Each structure stands twice: as C-alpha cells, then as structure tokens.
Amino acid sequence: MPASQRSGGSERKGAGNNMDLDESPRVKLTARSWQELSGTDKPNVVLLIILYCLQGIPLGLVSGSLPFLLKERLSYSELAVFSLASYPYSLKLIWSPIVDAIFSQSFGRRKSWIVPTQIGLALLFWFSSFVVDEILVKGLHSVGEFSALMFVVIFLAATQDIAVDGWALTLLSKENLSWASSCQTIGLQIGFFASYTVFLALNSKEFCNEYFFSVPQETGLVSAGVFMRLAAIVYTLVTAWLVFFKKEDRFVDCTGEGNLRIAYRRMLDIFALPAVRGLALVLLVHKLGFVAGEVLAPLKLIEKGFRKDRLALTAVIDFPIQVYLGLMAARWCSGHSPMRAFLFALAARHLMPVIGMALVAGYPGPENDGLYFLVVLAASVATSFCSTVMFVCVGAFFARISDPLIGGTYLTLLNTLTNFGGTWPRSLVLEATAWLTVKTCTNGQACERAADCGEGAECITQQDGFYIVSGCSVVLGTLLLRYYVWPTISRLQNLPETSWRVEIR
C-alpha cells in the first residue's frame, strides 16, 4: 500500500473517534434531548447557537430589513442589483480551502478566522451606523456603492460561517453531530429575527405609536444607526469572550496545514466524487419552484399598502414556533433517511407561492385587513415550517456525509451549493418581474415608481410581471421535483458512506 494511503487511513481513524469510516458499518445517529446531552456538549451547543446568531444579523439586514426600507425608493431592477450583496454566501467555497489550510496552531484553527471576521463586522457596523439613517431617508446616490459595502459585510459573515461549520464537526461528539444543524437553524433564526423582525417593528413609527408611545411620534424607537451600533457592541463582547475564555483543542490531523495547493486539490477531489456531483445539481435547482413567490410576494404586499410593521409582526409570532420546530426537526431528520422529511417539506413548499399569489390578488386594502392579516400569518407559519424542516434535514445529512478531516471545506462546499440554489434565481426573478411589468403614469409617461410621475400624477400598473414569473416558477419547479429532484435525492441518501469519502493524500 502506498505511504500516502497508509497515512490517510491512519488520520481518518483518528478523526473518526478511533473508527475507520471506510471499513466500519454505518452507525446510527440518535438525536438526543437537551437533558441527555453530555456536560461537554451542552456549552458547545450554546456557543454554536451564539456564533450562528451573529451570522444571522447581517443576513437579516441585507436580505430582509434594508430591501423593505428601500423599496419605496428603488425599482425592481435596482433591488436586483442590491441583491448581489448576498452573493458571498453563495460563493464562499472559492476561499473556504484558505480558511481550512491557513491558521495559527497556538491561537486555534477556527478562532484564527472567527475572531478577525467578527472584529471586522463590528467595525463596519460601527462606522456605517453614522451614515445609514441619512441613506434611508434621502435615498441612495449610488445603488452600486451601498451594495458594495453590504457585499463586504456578507463576505465577512460568510468567512465566519466557513470556520464555524468546520468547528461544529469537532466541538460536538460524534453521536450528537445532528445537533449542529439545529444549532445553525436556531442561531440563524435568532439573528435574522433580531435584525429583520424586531428591528423593522421598532423602526416603524406606526408600530411604536400603536404599542409604545402615548403621544404619537414621527420616528420609531430604534433607528438603523442605533441598531448597527448595538450589533457592533455584541460582536465585540462575544469576540472578547472567545479570545480570553474559550480554548480550542489543538488540531493534529491536518496533513495539508498551510498548504493551499493541497487544500484546493482536496476541494476538487470532493467535487469529483460522483455522489457529490449528483447532489450539487439537485441543490442548484431544487428551489426554483418557490424562490420567485417568496421573494416577490412580501414586496408586492408592501407595494399594495400592507404595513411593514404588520409583516414584521407575523414574524414575531412565527419566531417561537420555528425555534421549537427547529428542535423537533432534529428528531425527524436523524438516522439514515434525513432527506425523507426534507422531500415532503419541499413538496409542501411548492404550494406556498400559489397561496402568495392569491393573497396579493385578494388584498382588501389597509382599512379591511384584520382577518386578512390572520391568513397572511398562517401562510407565513406554513412557509417557515417547511423551510425549517428542509434546513435542519439537509444540515443533518451534510453533517453525516462530511469528512471530519476536511470538514470546513466539505461542509462549506455543500452549504454553498444549497445557498447558491436560492441566490442565483433571486436577481433573475427581480429583473424578469421588472421587464414583464408595464406601468404608466396617469399623465401618459412610463414609470417604475410613483416618484417618476411627478406631482399630481399616479403610477398605474397595466401588466403585473409578478403573476407571470411566480406562476412559471411553480410549474417549472413542480416538474423538476416530480421527475428529477425526488428520485435523485432518494437514491443519494441510500449510498454507503464510502461514496462520500475522498482519499487523503
């Protein structure tokens, strides 16, 4: 046997708790309750939730709050440009081998990246906080410049995600690896909830006048600038705790330490596996059926007059439900068929855009939306339920098939493909909606927003591209699900563990 193969086999035994993964029978992973977790795993579960929460904060701002706050001043084409700011999350596999290969052994393999990225996010939030309110009030001088700033923010969050994903594989014991996806689900939801739902509600003067102020005010309780400064303080405190109080175990199995050539070769080796290539194609197309509806329906409701704080309130009610379901989903997605629950949730999620189109078409107006709000709430809970089950199940599946020796690169490759499957259609559907929508002012000139018509004129929609794009998306997605996605995933999850392993050279 070649020396490289002997070396790789020895390391894999060390990485697998003294069990050779290439020769051992498949071990059933059992999702345990919180009470049954070991004393070592409990604090590490809390740490992972906090770190994933810090990722959710910038994602909630860039994907949620800021587009809603800017919607009145931006066209769908400009929103498509701004949506490019979220692309680093979908392209992080490009630099994930660097995160896996270059680090300070004395400081910690994962802390070497988590600490500087969180410091960078704290600084960006702090300095951006002094200009963001003016941007939101007066509008953008350049969509591209603001998008570039948010691009850097998401780049740092994505880099932190690479390190945290890899750390999760060694922080938790082997039998509790399925908890990693629940930690990610809960943490991201908390961060997204804080920067999207809570922020939008406390930023809304209508919401604050109704629930907090006895005398009506012209602004909400929390401005974007104040929120960013608070976020910067949280990043700083968590990072300080990591530096001074959290010791990372010394990494001893990294044969490619500091060698980028080996790290990138390993990424290519992973992608060369037939099982990974088959999974990659599925991940890139499995969200086509509902991305358009989930992106466009909330924006269309806001455009029709549905209050932003009401939309945020649906998420307030929905949040505790999804946190509970995130914990329950860890049980549903355990064992050797985690993708079974994923497929049923995926099928149900394809129904949500149809409901969304009906809700937009049937909006009764702001004066009569009491009962309507309850229907929107029910649709929101159903959509989030499907999304949570999918997220936890696919995370549990990734944790099961990923090689701990190259966990950061392996998990990042798979998570990147999943994220990109939802990111690349986003800009496309916004552009297609803008192209297929026909609007004219009451004075006869073309328009994209009310501000284009001038004083005394209204912008009237003659043809709404939302229904065309959402309808075509549902039809295409349903066909793909029935004839490609479902049979392919069913086959892939039954493959032996050796199908997902690469030779360590």
Side-chain angles (χ1 to χ4, degrees):
M1 181 183 292
S4 63
Q5 287 184 316
R6 290 197 302 271
S7 172
S10 174
E11 290 162 15
R12 196 178 299 286
K13 288 178 182 179
N17 294 338
N18 297 320
M19 180 176 291
D20 192 331
L21 297 179
D22 291 335
E23 298 175 358
S24 65
R26 294 165 74 182
V27 180
K28 184 176 181 180
L29 300 178
T30 303
R32 299 180 174 184
S33 67
W34 171 261
Q35 291 76 14
E36 294 175 335
L37 283 173
S38 67
T40 302
D41 278 338
K42 282 184 178 179
N44 289 333
V45 164
V46 174
L47 173 60
L48 286 173
I49 290 174
I50 292 173
L51 293 177
Y52 281 121
C53 175
L54 296 184
Q55 290 176 34
I57 291 174
L59 290 176
L61 284 173
V62 175
S63 301
S65 301
L66 293 178
F68 275 114
L69 294 174
L70 292 169
K71 175 64 184 74
E72 296 176 359
R73 298 173 179 84
L74 297 181
S75 65
Y76 282 111
S77 295
E78 290 170 323
L79 285 173
V81 173
F82 184 76
S83 71
L84 298 177
S86 62
Y87 265 55
Y89 237 83
S90 301
L91 301 174
K92 59 189 176 183
L93 67 91
I94 296 173
W95 65 93
S96 65
I98 299 175
V99 178
D100 251 8
I102 299 178
F103 56 91
S104 167
Q105 186 71 272
S106 59
F107 189 59
R109 187 187 189 194
R110 304 306 178 184
K111 285 170 59 178
S112 295
W113 289 94
I114 294 173
V115 169
T117 53
Q118 291 183 176
I119 291 174
L121 285 166
L123 291 173
L124 279 175
F125 276 138
W126 184 264
F127 289 111
S128 299
S129 69
F130 297 102
V131 297
V132 67
D133 289 324
E134 183 178 356
I135 289 174
L136 293 176
V137 172
K138 297 182 179 179
L140 296 172
H141 298 296
S142 170
V143 175
E145 290 179 4
F146 191 62
S147 299
L149 174 63
M150 293 299 105
F151 186 94
V152 175
V153 168
I154 298 300
F155 171 81
L156 291 175
T159 304
Q160 189 249 26
D161 178 57
I162 298 170
V164 175
D165 281 347
W167 203 5
L169 292 179
T170 55
L171 269 179
L172 301 177
S173 57
K174 183 176 176 63
E175 65 270 18
N176 289 323
L177 277 180
S178 60
W179 277 79
S181 59
S182 293
C183 293
Q184 188 178 37
T185 301
I186 295 169
L188 285 174
Q189 284 184 346
I190 293 173
F192 199 95
F193 175 77
S195 59
Y196 172 45
T197 306
V198 174
F199 167 61
L200 273 187
L202 298 182
N203 180 259
S204 168
K205 66 178 182 181
E206 291 86 2
F207 182 87
C208 292
N209 284 333
E210 185 171 348
Y211 295 104
F212 294 107
F213 299 140
S214 57
V215 178
Q217 304 292 320
E218 290 301 315
T219 59
L221 278 173
V222 179
S223 67
V226 169
F227 180 84
M228 285 188 168
R229 285 193 286 276
L230 290 173
I233 293 171
V234 171
Y235 276 101
T236 302
L237 292 175
V238 173
T239 305
W241 184 86
L242 284 175
V243 171
F244 296 110
F245 299 105
K246 180 61 179 177
K247 180 176 175 58
E248 186 176 348
D249 292 338
R250 186 176 179 82
F251 186 75
V252 296
D253 291 324
C254 185
T255 58
E257 179 179 343
N259 192 323
L260 284 180
R261 182 180 63 83
I262 292 177
Y264 275 99
R265 185 179 68 193
R266 285 179 178 171
M267 183 176 72
L268 294 176
D269 288 343
I270 294 170
F271 202 74
L273 293 171
V276 172
R277 290 202 305 269
L279 181 61
L281 291 175
V282 169
L283 295 176
L284 288 174
V285 301
H286 77 287
K287 296 181 180 179
L288 280 176
F290 51 80
V291 166
E294 292 183 3
V295 170
L296 296 172
L299 295 175
K300 292 300 296 183
L301 285 176
I302 295 295
E303 184 180 305
K304 284 200 162 190
F306 194 69
R307 283 166 44 183
K308 298 186 187 74
D309 59 294
R310 285 252 176 147
L311 204 59
L313 186 59
T314 63
V316 171
I317 300 170
D318 182 45
F319 173 71
I321 299 173
Q322 300 311 319
V323 170
Y324 173 75
L325 290 175
L327 292 171
M328 293 300 297
R331 295 179 179 273
W332 305 334
C333 303
S334 62
H336 291 294
S337 299
M339 299 300 277
R340 179 175 175 81
F342 171 91
L343 287 171
F344 282 109
L346 177 62
R349 201 168 173 184
H350 278 72
L351 298 174
M352 296 301 108
V354 178
I355 297 174
M357 286 187 282
L359 286 172
V360 172
Y363 179 60
E367 299 83 9
N368 304 299
D369 65 356
L371 180 60
Y372 179 86
F373 170 75
L374 297 179
V375 179
V376 172
L377 175 62
S380 175
V381 171
T383 301
S384 298
F385 170 71
C386 296
S387 177
T388 298
V389 173
M390 287 175 59
F391 191 88
V392 174
C393 288
V394 81
F397 181 61
F398 290 169
R400 194 193 84 188
I401 65 177
S402 295
D403 191 334
L405 269 181
I406 45 178
T409 298
Y410 211 128
L411 270 180
T412 297
L413 173 63
L414 297 176
N415 285 328
T416 296
L417 291 168
T418 303
N419 292 332
F420 195 57
T423 301
W424 74 262
R426 183 181 295 264
S427 300
L428 182 64
V429 300
L430 287 168
E431 285 286 1
T433 302
W435 184 65
L436 291 169
T437 297
V438 178
K439 293 184 177 182
T440 56
C441 300
T442 50
N443 58 18
Q445 68 185 65
C447 62
E448 288 186 334
R449 62 181 78 80
D452 296 335
C453 296
E455 190 173 351
E458 296 182 19
C459 186
I460 306 298
T461 301
Q462 307 294 333
Q463 175 180 291
D464 199 335
F466 161 68
Y467 300 104
I468 302 173
V469 173
S470 294
C472 291
S473 174
V474 171
V475 172
L476 176 61
T478 303
L479 291 174
L480 283 171
L481 175 64
R482 171 64 179 85
Y483 295 105
Y484 175 64
V485 174
W486 193 294
T488 302
I489 287 181
S490 299
R491 175 179 60 84
L492 289 174
Q493 76 168 341
N494 290 320
L495 292 176
E497 202 168 56
T498 52
S499 300
W500 306 97
R501 294 292 184 257
V502 297
E503 177 187 331
I504 303 297
R505 293 176 288 178

